[in-house]
Amino acid sequence: MAVNVTWERLRELAGFRAEKGCAISLYLNLDPSVAPTAGDAQTRVNSLLDEGEKSNGANRGDLTHDERQGLKADFERIRGYFQTDFSRDGSRGFAVFTAGLDGFWSPLPLLEPVPDGIKVGSAFYLAPLVPLVGRGDGALVAVVGREQGQLYRLRAGQLEEVVDRFEEQPGRHDQGGWSQSRYQRHIENLVSEHLRGFAEELDRQVRRARSPRVVIVCSEETRAELSKLLSKEVEAALVGWTQAKAHATPAALLEIARPLLEGSRTEEEAKVIERWREEAGRNGRASAGWGATLEAASDGRVDVLLYHDGVDHPAWQCPACGRASVDAGNCPLDGTRLEQRDEGLDLAVHQTLAHGGTVWAVRSRRDLDPVEGIGALLRY
C-alpha cells in the first residue's frame, strides 16, 4: 500500500550513512500518464539501473573490489524486485533505498508522483521526498448531523473511520400526549446533547493527535449550533466547513475536503515566507542564497529550510564530517579536501534534518527567486 512520507521516516533515511559499501536511491514515476502499464514501468526501471551502473558514483576509482561487487548485487536485487515482487497497488510513485553491504533494503510506495532518477553515494538521495512530506496525513474530517457524527482520519491517502456516533431522535409517532411545543423542545435538547457530545469527542481527538488540521462537513443549520460548542483547540485546528450529500463515501468526502486542506497548506506557506522576508529584510534570523544557507545548515542553525520546488545547485562536501559549501577547498573544521557534489539541495536537506530542522518545498510563491531559489529561517 502506498504511504505518506513522514518527517520521522525522512529523518531515519537521512541518518543512514553507508560504512561498508554504497547507498543506492532509485525513484520511479508511476503517474498513469507516464507509466500506464507494468511493461512501461519495467522498461524505465531497466533504463534507470543502466544509468546507475554507468554513473560516477558507481565507478569511483577508490571503490574496493567488495564495494563494486556489493553494488552489482544491489542493482540485481532492485531489478529482480521489480520483475517479481513489485505491485503498484495504487501507488503514483515509488522509491527504493538499498545498501546491501550495510544490510539496508527499503522499497517505498508513494501516494504522489516523483521524477525518475537514480543516485549512488554514501548517503541516500532524499530531496525528491521533501515535497511529499505530510500532504494532509493525519488530518481529521468530521461529518456531523442532527443524529449522526462520524470522524475520519486521513492516513496513507485514505479516510479511515475513528469515531461513529449515532443517536436516533424520536419521531412524530412518539409524541404521545405532549404538546407540540414541549415535544419540539425535547427533540432540540436531544440534538444539542448529541452535538455537545460530538464536539467533546472531536476535542479529545484533536488533543490526542496534537492539533491536526480539521475539516467539518455539515449543514448550515448544524454549523450554526456546533460552532458555538467547539473548543479553542478545535477552532485553532479548523481549516474549513463544507457540505456533502447524504451517505457520501469516504472517498467522496476526501475529494470535498482536499481543496480545504491544500488551501490551508498554501496559507501556511505564505506565513512561513512572510516570516522569512521579514527576518531577511532586517538581517535577522534568516539566510538567503546557496552560500549562506549551506553554511548555516552545516552549522546546525537552520530551523526551516525553504526552497523553490525543482531548484538545485552544485556544491562541495567534506567526506569526513559532511559539511557542505559552494566553494572548493578544504573543510574549515578538519582540513579534509572537499569533494564536488552535483546535488547541493540534497546536502542542505541532509544537514537540516540531521540537526533537527524541517524543510519546506515552496510551490505557490516566488519570493526566493532573487536569492537563487533557496533560503532558511534560522535558530540563531
Side-chain angles (χ1 to χ4, degrees):
M1 175 186 290
V3 298
N4 256 335
V5 181
T6 64
W7 287 118
E8 291 75 16
R9 182 61 172 146
L10 204 58
R11 293 187 198 283
E12 175 190 343
L13 291 168
F16 175 84
R17 190 173 182 86
E19 299 292 340
K20 300 177 182 179
C22 297
I24 300 175
S25 310
L26 181 143
Y27 290 90
L28 182 66
N29 188 347
L30 292 178
D31 190 292
S33 64
V34 177
T37 68
D40 294 319
Q42 185 64 57
T43 298
R44 292 191 4 260
V45 167
N46 291 335
S47 177
L48 285 169
L49 291 172
D50 289 342
E51 178 185 334
E53 290 172 331
K54 298 173 183 176
S55 68
N56 292 333
N59 292 278
R60 296 199 328 261
D62 60 345
L63 294 180
T64 67
H65 174 75
D66 287 344
E67 288 171 336
R68 294 182 187 279
Q69 291 300 113
L71 271 175
K72 182 178 179 181
D74 284 342
F75 285 127
E76 287 305 313
R77 182 175 185 180
I78 296 173
R79 183 174 281 108
Y81 173 82
F82 279 98
Q83 288 174 346
T84 60
D85 299 326
F86 168 70
S87 173
R88 295 175 77 133
D89 194 23
S91 303
R92 300 185 67 205
F94 208 91
V96 176
F97 303 99
T98 183
L101 294 182
D102 290 272
F104 196 102
W105 168 261
S106 178
L108 190 64
L110 304 168
L111 288 167
E112 300 293 335
V114 287
D116 284 356
I118 188 167
K119 303 290 182 183
V120 179
S122 60
F124 294 127
Y125 177 58
L126 302 179
L129 292 183
V130 171
L132 310 186
V133 175
R135 297 306 305 270
D137 211 32
L140 296 175
V141 177
V143 183
V144 195
R146 290 170 62 85
E147 294 183 330
Q148 96 285 355
Q150 296 160 310
L151 193 60
Y152 298 87
R153 179 175 290 112
L154 180 57
R155 181 172 296 157
Q158 297 180 333
L159 290 182
E160 299 179 354
E161 188 176 82
V162 292
V163 173
D164 186 4
R165 296 170 63 101
F166 180 79
E167 299 175 54
E168 185 174 5
Q169 311 303 344
R172 291 186 179 277
H173 62 278
D174 297 320
Q175 179 175 346
W178 291 16
S179 68
Q180 183 63 37
S181 60
R182 284 183 60 205
Y183 178 67
Q184 189 61 38
R185 284 197 303 273
H186 172 64
I187 292 178
E188 294 306 317
N189 287 336
L190 291 176
V191 171
S192 295
E193 290 176 10
H194 160 67
L195 293 179
R196 185 174 294 105
F198 187 83
E200 292 172 354
E201 179 63 40
L202 182 55
D203 177 68
R204 283 192 291 271
Q205 294 293 332
V206 166
R207 291 172 183 269
R208 185 178 303 168
R210 299 182 181 180
S211 300
R213 288 179 289 175
V214 176
V215 173
I216 299 179
V217 182
C218 66
S219 66
E220 288 297 328
E221 179 184 6
T222 300
R223 174 179 176 174
E225 186 166 355
L226 181 63
S227 61
K228 303 173 185 177
L229 303 173
L230 300 180
S231 67
K232 292 182 179 179
E233 287 75 15
V234 174
E235 288 181 339
L238 183 63
V239 301
W241 302 77
T242 188
Q243 299 184 34
K245 294 181 179 179
H247 310 297
T249 65
L253 291 171
L254 180 56
E255 286 304 306
I256 294 170
R258 196 181 295 280
L260 293 173
L261 295 173
E262 291 294 331
S264 171
R265 186 191 185 283
T266 300
E267 290 179 5
E268 187 177 355
E269 179 177 295
K271 292 178 182 178
V272 172
I273 287 293
E274 287 305 318
R275 281 176 53 205
W276 174 82
R277 285 175 59 91
E278 180 180 344
E279 291 290 340
R282 59 185 179 89
N283 293 320
R285 296 180 181 179
S287 67
W290 285 96
T293 301
L294 284 175
E295 180 180 357
S298 297
D299 289 338
R301 294 187 289 124
V302 170
D303 184 28
V304 184
L305 176 67
L306 304 166
Y307 70 92
H308 284 160
D309 199 5
V311 74
D312 212 338
H313 193 283
W316 297 79
Q317 183 184 30
C318 175
C321 70
R323 188 175 184 83
S325 172
V326 290
D327 299 315
N330 296 329
C331 177
L333 300 184
D334 53 38
T336 305
R337 189 69 178 173
L338 302 182
E339 297 178 351
Q340 189 169 12
R341 299 284 187 265
D342 293 331
E343 301 83 19
L345 176 62
D346 201 59
L347 296 183
V349 168
H350 271 267
Q351 291 291 340
T352 299
L353 294 174
H355 292 96
T358 57
V359 187
W360 194 287
V362 179
R363 293 176 169 177
S364 61
R365 302 279 294 260
R366 305 304 304 179
D367 301 67
L368 296 171
D369 278 344
V371 294
E372 305 174 284
I374 193 167
L377 287 165
L378 307 180
R379 297 188 177 100
Y380 58 90

